[in-house]
Each structure stands twice: as C-alpha cells, then as structure tokens.
Amino acid sequence: MAAPTMAGEFEDVESFRLRAREWIAANLPPARSSSTDEGEDMMGSDFDDEAWIRARELQKLLYSGGFAGLCYPKQYGGQGLTPAHQKAFNDEVAGYEMPLLLNTPTFTICGPTILEMANENQKQEHLAAAIRGEEVFVQFLSEPSGGSDLAGAITRATRDGDVFVLNGSKIWSSGAYAADYALCLARTDWDAPKHRGLTMFLLKVHQPGVEIRRIKQVNGNNEFCEEFFDDVEVPVENVVGEINGGWAVASRQLFHERNAVGGGSPYESGNRGGLRRGAPAATLIDLARRTGRDRDRHVRELIAEAHAITKVQQHLIDRVVTGMRTENLPPTSGSIIRLFSGESASRRAEIGLDVAGLQGVFSAPGHTGDRENGEAFIFRQAGSLGGGSTEMARNIISERVLGMPREVAADRDVAFNQVRRGR
Ligand SMILES: Cc1cc2nc3c(=O)[nH]c(=O)nc-3n(C[C@H](O)[C@H](O)[C@H](O)COP(=O)(O)OP(=O)(O)OC[C@H]3O[C@@H](n4cnc5c(N)ncnc54)[C@H](O)[C@@H]3O)c2cc1C
C-alpha cells in the first residue's frame, strides 16, 4: 500500500481517502444486515453477545490496519487525524461491516471524557485498550430515582483507606453486561451542595458486589441493564478528575453525549444512519415499491418528508458543530442537535410505520426489514430520553444558549443531606 502523503501536519484527506478505500476493500467484509451493520446502534436493535464479540474483532482489525480511533491522539493508539478524515472514512466504509456497537458510548462519549478529564495512567491504560478493541465502556449515570436530575445522584461512595466503597444502584445502562469499565457517578460528600459532593469513577463492571440485571423491553430488546452495588471496592486511583469534582467530569460527559446523540461527534466511526438518523428515504422508497405503494400520493409525501428531515438535520449538525468549534455558539448548543435528533427520530418512526402499513406489524417470510419499522415505532420515544430528555434539552437551550432566566432550584447551595428527596 502507498505511503501516506503528508500536507503540513496531516495526511491530505483525499490521499487518506484512497488509502482507506484500498484497505477497506481488501480487509473489511461487506455489511451483513441493515440492523447490525449499517442501520442502528444499540437503540432499538437486538444485539446478543456474539455481536459484541464480533464488534471487538472488527475493532482489532481496524487497529491493525491503522484505521482505529482516527480522531484520537497517537499516544493513546489513535491516528491523530481530523474530523474531515473521519468523514472521508465514514463515506468509504458505507456498505462494509463495522463495529458500530462500539461507537456509543465507548468512543463518542466515554472516550472523549477520559481523554479530557482522566489522568495520564488512566488514558494510557483504558483509552488505548478501547482503541485496540480490548475494552468496552458503559455509562453508569441514571438512577432509579431519576436521570434528568443527574446531580441529585444518591449512589454512595465512602472512602476507606485506599479504596472507595460503593453502594446503590444505576439503571438504563446500555450494554452494561458486555462492557469492561463504567464511568460511574457517585456521591462522596453529603454535606456539600449537590453539584459539589460528587465523584466520577472508572469502575470495573464485572467484579464482586456488582449485580447486573438485563431489562427486557416491549420490542424484545434487552440491551438496557440495571446494576446493584453492594460494598463494591473501587481503588482511589480509579477516580477520574478530582474527588468531589465529579460534576466537572459529568458535564463534559453530557456535552459529548449530546453531540453523539445529536449526530455531531467527530469520534463516530462508520455510518449509523438507518431508522434513527440516517437516510431512510432510500429504504422507504424500496419498502414502498415492495409493498406496491410507490404510486400512492400520501406515501410519496411521507417519503419526501423523511428526506427533508434528513437534509435539514445534516445541515443543522454541520452548522451547530461548526458554530461550537469556532466559538460562535456556546458548547451547550449541542442540545440543539440533540433535541432535533429526538424529535425527528420519533417522526421518522411514525413515517416508517405508515409506509410499511400492515407489513410493519405482520411481515411476510424473507421480509424482516418491514418488521423493523414496526419495532422502531414501538421504541420511538427512546430518542426523546436517551442522552438526556428533550425537555431537558429545551431547558438548556432556553437558559444556556438563549440566556433566559434559570429554572427555580430549591436545592441549589443547600447541603445535600438537607435536601428533601422522594416523599
Ligand atoms: C436509548 C436510551 C439509552 C440510555 N442509555 C443510558 C446509559 O447508557 N446510561 C445511563 O446512565 N442512562 C441511560 N439512559 C437513561 C437516560 O439518560 C434517562 O432516561 C434520561 O436522562 C431521563 O431520566 P429518567 O428516565 O429517569 O426520567 P426522569 O428524569 O424521571 O424524567 C421523567 C420526565 O420528566 C421530565 N423532566 C424531569 N425534570 C424536568 C425538568 N427540570 N424540566 C422539564 N421536564 C423535566 C423529563 O423530561 C421526562 O419526560 C438511556 C435512555 C435511553 C432511552
């Protein structure tokens, strides 16, 4: 293979594209099915252990070819390239099998948070391992008492010499059963106001005292997990950032999460597309043809609407991401693309079911793709909750982007143990 041509600091994007094209064609297998390879991330699809093993294998393959972690620094195993290189790679890899399961949260949320907030040892050990395909991350943020008020977390970590002892529970953790390490937010100081008594830990997921239960949803998916911590020991060296400074880490994590869910993460490798974000119009046209409804005026209008949503979303993502990068928009603007993603995912799912008609709930043998539209419809509200709810996104946009008055908070600056909770 030709040696990379360098223009200044980076390899020229077009020469990178050609090099990637050649490697991809020689090394990556064609995509196996829309649901596992091109269509979806873990939101709404039924992934089993085999799919996770396969994702790790593919990540190792990308690493061996020099195409893993394109936008991560070289000292942690990445390629130190730019979002433009990642975009070129994503274009080239369309139609090939990719480890899409590892994108969110491992590479788009936890990875950048570790890169920005963790210490050098943690980055060398965990970030590099993830890029090599040896570690998978999960987020332990939401709790049964509520996910929107993340700073109100009540999972407790009590210091005992060189360890913290963790007790409590987390819920809605996507893919926890298949993960190695979690970014886990816990309360370490109950006398401090809620934002100032939290600590973020890199928690080994499979260890004594951690019980993981998988949650089966109405669409059959069982990727969500809940975890129960019973005197789990976490070494002090696994604190990310400062002790009691966990909110600073969580804030960066939420920033990356909104970008990822909104479609603006530069760390996403491969095309997620599919029912949730990508270009469903082509899929819908195919579906309409198969069901003999491609001449139906209503169906044609729906397909045009789906196409328009996709185009508007692509432009919105470009504009917001550029605005944040050039500091013309505040970093909280990620909530704009996150909001659009939630609202449009729901509308797309409605359109998909409408076009599929009866096939969406009752598919003929060999036409499993039609049933996916029915399943996406059942799961459509997920896009309004995952990555923070759309209501919270609206709150952030009004307060932190538009500068409107802050929501009243009775617990601000009050010691957390004095805050009234539950009943
Ligand atoms: C697909 C998916 C993947 C997820 N993955 C993970 C994961 O990997 N790890 C993890 O920790 N969590 C994960 N979650 C959980 C997600 O972060 C929470 O569902 C979300 O933060 C909302 O929390 P909640 O469900 O507890 O709802 P609550 O916080 O109880 O909120 C209930 C309702 O009240 C509204 N509400 C609450 N407070 C306000 C307010 N101040 N103003 C206006 N409205 C308000 C909310 O918008 C919502 O409609 C995932 C969720 C989904 C759907």
Side-chain angles (χ1 to χ4, degrees):
M1 184 169 295
T5 41
M6 305 293 287
E9 196 184 342
F10 300 109
E11 179 183 0
D12 169 66
V13 173
E14 283 315 304
S15 97
F16 168 81
R17 180 190 290 280
L18 296 178
R19 188 165 65 84
R21 186 178 296 168
E22 203 181 316
W23 184 86
I24 289 165
N27 292 280
L28 286 183
R32 285 188 295 190
S33 80
S34 63
S35 67
T36 52
D37 300 323
E38 286 191 285
E40 284 283 275
D41 59 11
M42 64 176 59
M43 294 176 84
S45 293
D46 192 13
F47 292 111
D48 51 18
D49 294 5
E50 208 182 295
W52 285 98
I53 292 166
R54 181 69 184 146
R56 288 178 191 242
E57 281 171 9
L58 288 166
Q59 183 65 22
K60 286 178 181 151
L61 186 61
L62 289 175
Y63 180 75
S64 69
F67 291 98
L70 293 184
C71 290
Y72 282 101
K74 286 188 174 169
Q75 67 262 42
Y76 308 120
Q79 295 299 316
L81 294 170
T82 68
H85 292 85
Q86 183 66 67
K87 189 170 179 313
F89 186 78
N90 291 351
D91 291 344
E92 294 302 323
V93 89
Y96 290 90
E97 197 184 355
M98 278 286 287
L100 298 183
L101 268 177
L102 303 183
N103 272 335
T104 300
T106 296
F107 289 122
T108 59
I109 305 176
C110 300
T113 308
I114 291 170
L115 180 64
E116 291 173 8
M117 308 303 286
N119 63 35
E120 193 55 28
N121 285 346
Q122 292 165 341
K123 285 190 263 199
Q124 288 291 354
E125 189 176 338
H126 298 289
L127 190 52
I131 292 170
R132 288 195 304 268
E134 292 165 9
E135 272 186 23
V136 172
F137 303 138
V138 60
Q139 303 195 87
F140 284 174
L141 298 176
S142 305
E143 300 192 354
S145 54
S148 300
D149 184 20
L150 182 58
I154 54 175
T155 289
R156 166 190 300 267
T158 311
R159 179 114 188 220
D160 182 10
D162 291 341
V163 297
F164 278 90
V165 180
L166 198 66
N167 282 285
S169 62
K170 297 282 175 181
I171 193 165
W172 310 126
S173 334
S174 310
Y177 71 97
D180 302 286
Y181 278 86
L183 280 175
C184 178
L185 191 65
R187 190 156 302 279
T188 38
D189 185 351
W190 294 71
D191 295 324
K194 68 177 184 178
H195 292 89
R196 284 180 245 154
L198 295 163
T199 302
M200 188 70 79
F201 296 92
L202 256 170
L203 174 71
K204 193 164 193 270
V205 173
H206 300 281
Q207 63 164 306
V210 179
E211 184 190 337
I212 299 178
R213 292 187 200 156
R214 294 177 71 170
I215 302 169
K216 187 149 189 171
Q217 295 167 83
V218 66
N219 65 351
N221 176 300
N222 60 358
E223 282 301 306
F224 277 141
C225 299
E226 57 182 330
E227 300 79 29
F228 299 90
F229 309 125
D230 184 10
D231 285 340
V232 178
E233 293 195 353
V234 197
V236 172
E237 63 254 30
N238 282 27
V239 168
V240 179
E242 303 292 324
I243 294 170
N244 294 327
W247 188 247
V249 185
S251 298
R252 289 310 294 169
Q253 195 169 335
L254 295 178
F255 166 81
H256 290 297
E257 184 174 49
R258 287 177 200 124
N259 266 355
V261 173
S265 173
Y267 300 102
E268 185 167 295
S269 196
N271 296 286
R272 178 170 50 171
L275 298 167
R276 186 166 156 236
R277 166 148 58 85
T283 317
L284 292 174
I285 291 168
D286 184 43
L287 177 61
R289 285 195 181 122
R290 277 208 313 276
T291 52
R293 301 180 72 203
D294 53 327
R295 295 274 140 211
D296 182 319
R297 185 174 167 173
H298 173 62
V299 167
R300 292 165 77 94
E301 282 174 0
L302 287 174
I303 294 173
E305 184 186 341
H307 182 66
I309 292 173
T310 302
K311 285 288 163 202
V312 169
Q313 185 166 21
Q314 284 162 350
H315 288 296
L316 184 70
I317 291 169
D318 284 348
R319 182 161 184 171
V320 170
V321 168
T322 306
M324 289 193 292
R325 197 182 61 241
T326 55
E327 297 184 3
N328 287 313
L329 286 173
T332 43
S333 305
S335 289
I336 299 172
I337 52 177
R338 187 267 161 276
L339 174 61
F340 195 94
S341 152
E343 298 285 293
S344 60
S346 177
R347 180 62 191 140
R348 271 202 197 97
E350 286 168 2
I351 292 174
L353 186 67
D354 206 343
V355 174
L358 265 184
Q359 304 260 1
V361 285
F362 185 80
S363 62
H367 281 201
T368 51
D370 305 350
R371 202 186 58 206
E372 278 173 18
N373 288 290
E375 289 173 357
F377 180 79
I378 294 173
F379 202 61
R380 71 194 181 287
Q381 299 298 348
S384 307
L385 284 167
S389 72
T390 46
E391 287 82 7
M392 296 309 285
R394 286 194 165 91
N395 284 351
I396 294 167
I397 293 166
S398 61
E399 295 176 8
R400 314 275 178 87
V401 179
L402 301 175
M404 290 164 74
R406 295 284 298 269
E407 188 178 10
V408 176
D411 54 7
R412 195 168 290 146
D413 297 325
V414 178
F416 194 73
N417 55 16
Q418 300 301 313
V419 173
R420 292 182 65 185
R421 293 190 302 279
R423 297 179 63 226

